[in-house]
Amino acid sequence: MSVVRLGAVEYLNARPLVFGLEQAPRFALRFDVPSRCAALLHEGGIDAGLIPSVEYLRGPGEAGRQGDSGYRIVPGLAISSRGRVASVTLYTTRAIADVRSIAMDTSSRTSVALARVMCARAFGIQPEILAQRPDLHAMLTVADAALIIGDNALLLNEHTAAGGRLKADATLIEKIDLGEVWTRMTGLPFVYAFWAGRPGALTPDDVIALQQARDEGVQHTDAIVGDYFRGNPDRQAVGVRYLRDNIKYDFGPDERAGLELFYRYAAEAGIVEAPGPLRFY
């Protein structure tokens, strides 16, 4: 049987989904930032990828099916949150209603799209968007606010003082958790990423293997965090709380409703084309 090339997100929140897969002969696993993982799938460099959810809409498409991305989703698995996520965060130097520019870490296009949707629907602003490396102080020298995601946001958030503010270069910065804002606005979870690939890239047994990896991974989060932040007890404590309290790995009816609503809002904001129906393996 041929090897399936899997691309996974390199952040901590993805590790429970790939638990044990590096030792599975059926899979060849590589880790990248979310945007690169998606690019590899689009280019055919991997067979299936744990891609940012908005990238599903940028798939190869199928003739005669308007809005069909051409990808299939592995059922039951996602990286999601219901409420505070702790790793997709806006930092602002002024009230959000007064923000006119946002420097964004473009490592994940889903987080960028979510920020743009929240600007339009929750904050009522139309800021200029600037692509920047995830360095908070540097970002805030060129913009009123900064979007930071993934491990960078998770670890930075741990230094935030009570009340959602921290001190940086004598500037007070407000912290806004976009997962929390989304759920407060919609009542639904937000889906950040899921496994997807072209039709036929994964067999039914492969789908079961990915589901079993998740099942095992969520039972071993302490060990996963201990290995990921090896030798750093403070970061290990942060990681354990994060995987326990913030990140979810199911893709059920509520997650599907949240994803479809996000797609609709993103299309209405002109971020993506109108999507077709979700299609699964």
Side-chain angles (χ1 to χ4, degrees):
M1 184 177 291
S2 62
V3 172
V4 175
R5 300 168 299 167
L6 291 180
V9 176
E10 65 186 10
Y11 301 147
L12 172 62
N13 59 25
R15 297 304 168 120
L17 288 178
V18 298
F19 188 78
L21 294 182
E22 288 178 288
Q23 289 76 46
R26 171 64 170 161
F27 301 113
L29 183 64
R30 61 175 291 168
F31 294 96
D32 295 280
V33 297
S35 57
R36 181 57 184 155
C37 184
L40 286 167
L41 183 61
H42 298 332
E43 297 162 2
I46 55 178
D47 300 309
L50 187 58
I51 61 171
S53 57
V54 78
E55 295 289 350
Y56 172 77
L57 303 179
R58 300 187 170 112
E62 293 184 6
R65 291 182 175 176
Q66 185 176 5
D68 191 329
S69 79
Y71 289 143
R72 299 295 180 266
I73 301 168
V74 174
L77 307 178
I79 297 174
S80 67
S81 69
R82 185 186 287 268
R84 185 173 181 268
V85 64
S87 56
V88 181
T89 307
L90 272 179
Y91 297 88
T92 74
T93 58
R94 57 183 65 191
I96 189 64
D98 297 326
V99 166
R100 297 294 176 264
S101 58
I102 302 177
M104 294 197 181
D105 175 2
T106 58
S107 298
S108 170
R109 295 188 182 99
T110 289
S111 298
V112 171
L114 174 60
R116 292 177 61 187
V117 166
M118 292 297 95
C119 285
R121 289 194 164 265
F123 308 140
I125 58 176
Q126 294 182 310
E128 179 185 6
I129 304 301
L130 308 171
Q132 296 284 323
R133 292 176 57 83
D135 180 320
L136 180 61
H137 293 174
M139 294 165 95
L140 292 176
T141 64
V142 298
D144 298 331
L147 172 70
I148 297 183
I149 68 169
D151 295 344
N152 291 315
L154 174 65
L155 298 175
L156 183 60
N157 284 342
E158 286 302 307
H159 299 291
T160 303
R165 296 179 180 273
L166 56 79
K167 191 85 169 187
D169 294 340
T171 300
L172 282 176
I173 303 170
E174 184 178 5
K175 182 184 74 172
I176 301 172
D177 186 295
L178 293 188
E180 186 173 34
V181 175
W182 170 266
T183 298
R184 186 167 62 241
M185 184 179 76
T186 67
L188 293 167
F190 189 83
V191 175
Y192 302 92
F194 47 71
W195 288 112
R198 288 175 174 80
L202 298 175
T203 68
D205 285 344
D206 295 333
V207 169
I208 291 171
L210 294 176
Q211 293 169 339
Q212 290 175 339
R214 185 275 313 275
D215 294 344
E216 287 293 311
V218 298
Q219 296 299 318
H220 293 86
T221 53
D222 286 7
I224 289 169
V225 172
D227 183 63
Y228 192 81
F229 289 131
R230 187 174 300 170
N232 193 321
D234 290 340
R235 290 190 172 185
Q236 288 170 358
V238 172
V240 168
R241 288 196 300 272
Y242 174 60
L243 295 187
R244 180 191 65 209
D245 299 337
N246 304 114
I247 298 300
K248 312 300 178 187
Y249 295 101
D250 296 321
F251 195 160
D254 284 355
E255 286 76 22
R256 180 167 183 164
L259 180 64
E260 290 175 334
L261 184 60
F262 169 58
Y263 286 166
R264 179 162 69 83
Y265 285 169
E268 290 172 358
I271 299 168
V272 298
E273 297 293 329
L278 299 179
R279 300 186 185 277
F280 294 83
Y281 283 107

